[in-house]
Amino acid sequence: MSTATHEVTNQPTPLVGHNVYAGDRALRDALAFHLPGADESGRTSFGALLGSEAMQTHARLANVHKPMLHTHDRFGHRTDAVEFHPSYHALLGAAVDAGLHGTPWSRGAGAHVERAAGFLMFTQLEPSVLCPVSMTYAVTPALRDNAPVFADWFDKLASTRYDPRLAFVGSKTGVTMGMGMTEKQGGSDVRANTTRAEFVENNAWGACYRLTGHKWFFSAPMSDAFLVLAQTVAGLSCFFLPRVLPDGSVNAIAIQRLKDKLGNQANASSEVEFNGALAWRVGEDGRGIAQILEMGTLTRLDCALGTAGLMRAAVSLALNHASQRQAFGKRLAEQPLMKNVLADLALESEAATALAMRLAGAVDRQDDLFETLMRRVLTPVAKFWVCKRGSALAQEAMECLGGNGYVEEHGEGVMARIYREMPLNSIWEGAGNIMALDLMRALRKRGGESGDAVQALDAELATTRGANALLDNFANRLFARLSDGAGEETDARGLARDVALAVQASLLRRHAPDFSFDAFCRSRLAGGGPQVFGTLPSGIAFDSLIQRAMPHGAT
Ligand SMILES: Cc1cc2nc3c(=O)[nH]c(=O)nc-3n(C[C@H](O)[C@H](O)[C@H](O)COP(=O)(O)OP(=O)(O)OC[C@H]3O[C@@H](n4cnc5c(N)ncnc54)[C@H](O)[C@@H]3O)c2cc1C
């Protein structure tokens, strides 16, 4: 007996089996700008893997089957083990295999830009597993300040062989690391940390301490080691805290519970206590904040890259849907007002990619003072602005899918997962206000041996002076404000937004088509700045913007 009551029509086919590299013109153009003439074959094959049904399924399963904490075995012994779905390990293995963690530190020029592109592409799965990958990438240079630890761990941090076993570093093929700063009484203000470090002895890994205290947020607790902050008699200091000690015993890190979060489900974020855990000092006694911030600047880069990747994924899904779904006698992508929305989303996504990749380029060229200064400026700018725009873009891209966009369907609703992930990149690694205030500090420090960030910004924008009167006027107003001391603390967010917009416009001039640059200047630099999406002024090349952003495979 037939139970059919109707035929299912006008439901788009999902976006699957596409190449997330080949179909991303904005990313390809950014890479051609930063690494002209570089071989694209590795990126293209990685892009095919990341668009595959198999990887999409892993991302879904890793998020639907959340990590489970086992604090004790059935006999009552503490185990502090986190159990993951096999898809979690498949995803983490693929990221490590692609060298998205510590590997670039073992490679030559261009490695950080290549890695940034890979990270941005991987995020498009919204796998929620990249937190330990990012932390491992970021920790590697900071670890150099404990030479014996670095000597024993570096090869494993850079290894492309994923090894999730709980074992001492010597017997592992590869390792990952996490970090612990945030405590209950303060996250942004880490000076409030109360975890105590008591000196034990000097041994093969340097000054060894015993840590007592807690961390309120401690992601990826199954990592092999962590950089943590704790108080010595000299003040807040940075420590290397391995999970397995040189004698093979497990360190005294008790996982209290896993956080019950809005999104980021595949990543185990925990609360931990240190009950006399052994740790080795990294860097100078009492200089822990500066030491761990070396790591923080790189995880902030990843917040911008990851958000740019999620934005690209959201725009691809919106375009895939709107180019198939019909309403009122036309495909949605042909409806004039929807064209405005899609073109505006595409423009924002491209600008986010350009800014995040520019920052990655600066990380790659740290032997150049100008690039060091640009990195100092663009780290808080990209982290603040790209992440702020990410949530707004995800909401609008979701709306392009209508009701379907809001549906989770056991993880098949990737758009819903993207939407839940977006705010996280804005909060962790320094929330929006902290980033804006950090930028203000960088721009207020004029002259001196370490260079002048305002002059560097001026030189960056000088490359495109005269290209567009709106950009020239915008930049003039910005520099007038900067020459006057960068303004009041209450204006710090406005300053971060304006630096971001000026740099984004300049980058679009350098590696996007004229129609993108023109649309960006007219919609973001004139009048009141960025508005609700879908308010591009008339005369903009809507069709060209949409075509440029169309993911491969969408019709
Ligand atoms: C899922 C998840 C995983 C995490 N994983 C880790 C981890 O592995 N390791 C780790 O160390 N931390 C981790 N964190 C913590 C995260 O880094 C902090 O939550 C974040 O830095 C903010 O700190 P807080 O929560 O203490 O908020 P607070 O510091 O209390 O800040 C609250 C708000 O006040 C604002 N604010 C603070 N100071 C000022 C000021 N002077 N002026 C204006 N505004 C201000 C902030 O911008 C923020 O909006 C994680 C967080 C989440 C959500």
Side-chain angles (χ1 to χ4, degrees), residues 131 135 178-189 215-220 259 261 263-264 267 269 424 427-435 437 489 493:
C131 171
M135 292 195 288
M179 66 173 168
M181 293 186 278
T182 312
E183 297 187 2
K184 288 172 183 154
Q185 68 282 356
S188 310
D189 189 1
K215 294 293 163 186
W216 179 230
F217 281 92
F218 199 71
S219 286
K259 297 284 192 190
K261 300 175 287 186
N264 193 243
N267 181 33
S269 300
L424 180 55
I427 293 172
W428 63 6
E429 307 306 330
N433 287 355
I434 300 303
M435 290 301 96
L437 293 171
E489 227 179 76
R493 277 181 176 232

Side-chain angles (χ1 to χ4, degrees), residues 438-456:
D438 186 48
L439 172 71
M440 191 163 255
R441 264 193 305 278
L443 294 176
R444 276 182 177 160
K445 205 169 148 198
R446 305 298 310 266
E449 260 176 38
S450 51
D452 188 318
V454 175
Q455 278 174 13

Side-chain angles (χ1 to χ4, degrees), residues 48-67:
L49 174 74
L50 296 174
S52 68
E53 186 173 6
M55 291 300 278
Q56 290 184 354
T57 303
H58 281 316
R60 180 177 71 78
L61 292 174
N63 276 282
V64 170
H65 300 281
K66 296 189 205 178

Side-chain angles (χ1 to χ4, degrees), residues 5-208:
T5 58
H6 63 285
E7 198 186 337
V8 178
T9 62
N10 200 22
Q11 288 284 354
T13 56
L15 181 60
V16 61
H18 61 305
N19 188 313
V20 301
Y21 177 68
D24 191 344
R25 289 295 307 271
L27 178 62
R28 282 166 48 207
D29 286 349
L31 281 162
F33 176 77
H34 291 290
L35 298 176
D39 179 17
E40 292 183 280
S41 55
R43 300 172 200 157
T44 307
S45 53
F46 197 42
L49 174 74
L50 296 174
S52 68
E53 186 173 6
M55 291 300 278
Q56 290 184 354
T57 303
H58 281 316
R60 180 177 71 78
L61 292 174
N63 276 282
V64 170
H65 300 281
K66 296 189 205 178
M68 275 171 59
L69 173 63
H70 303 285
T71 53
H72 298 79
D73 67 12
R74 66 188 191 280
F75 305 108
H77 307 111
R78 272 212 89 104
T79 51
D80 297 294
V82 182
E83 186 181 352
F84 293 92
H85 188 272
S87 283
Y88 174 89
H89 293 297
L91 289 163
L92 211 55
V96 168
D97 181 58
L100 302 184
H101 59 317
T103 313
W105 303 105
S106 67
R107 296 193 175 156
H112 294 279
V113 170
E114 287 290 357
R115 181 260 172 200
F119 192 86
L120 192 153
M121 289 196 280
F122 206 110
T123 321
Q124 292 179 45
L125 288 165
E126 210 309 84
S128 292
V129 304
L130 291 175
C131 171
V133 173
S134 177
M135 292 195 288
T136 307
Y137 169 63
V139 78
T140 305
L143 217 50
R144 286 194 187 112
D145 289 325
N146 180 320
V149 169
F150 189 74
D152 283 355
W153 283 70
F154 176 63
D155 286 352
K156 306 291 168 74
L157 288 163
S159 158
T160 52
R161 293 174 66 195
Y162 176 57
D163 182 349
R165 288 174 307 136
L166 178 66
F168 185 61
V169 61
S171 63
K172 295 197 64 166
T173 60
V175 294
T176 59
M177 280 188 67
M179 66 173 168
M181 293 186 278
T182 312
E183 297 187 2
K184 288 172 183 154
Q185 68 282 356
S188 310
D189 189 1
V190 288
R191 294 169 307 175
N193 273 199
T194 59
T195 295
R196 293 191 319 276
E198 278 148 351
F199 180 74
V200 179
E201 61 176 1
N202 281 308
N203 56 34
W205 280 350
C208 179

Side-chain angles (χ1 to χ4, degrees), residues 263-328:
N264 193 243
Q265 303 293 3
N267 181 33
S269 300
S270 67
E271 297 165 19
V272 290
E273 289 184 4
F274 308 138
N275 191 2
L278 291 180
W280 284 260
R281 203 179 70 231
V282 180
E284 278 178 54
D285 201 7
R287 297 262 310 139
I289 296 180
Q291 189 69 35
I292 214 160
L293 272 183
E294 198 180 330
M295 178 178 185
T297 59
L298 290 163
T299 50
R300 286 169 186 172
L301 161 70
D302 280 3
C303 291
L305 288 168
T307 304
L310 291 175
M311 286 163 100
R312 171 64 194 160
V315 170
S316 299
L317 291 168
L319 288 168
N320 180 66
H321 184 93
S323 58
Q324 297 182 63
R325 175 87 163 170
Q326 306 251 350
F328 301 98

Side-chain angles (χ1 to χ4, degrees), residues 478-498:
L478 177 62
F479 285 107
R481 194 168 6 149
L482 290 177
S483 65
D484 212 18
E488 300 293 321
E489 227 179 76
T490 45
D491 299 328
R493 277 181 176 232
L495 180 68
R497 175 200 58 201
D498 291 351

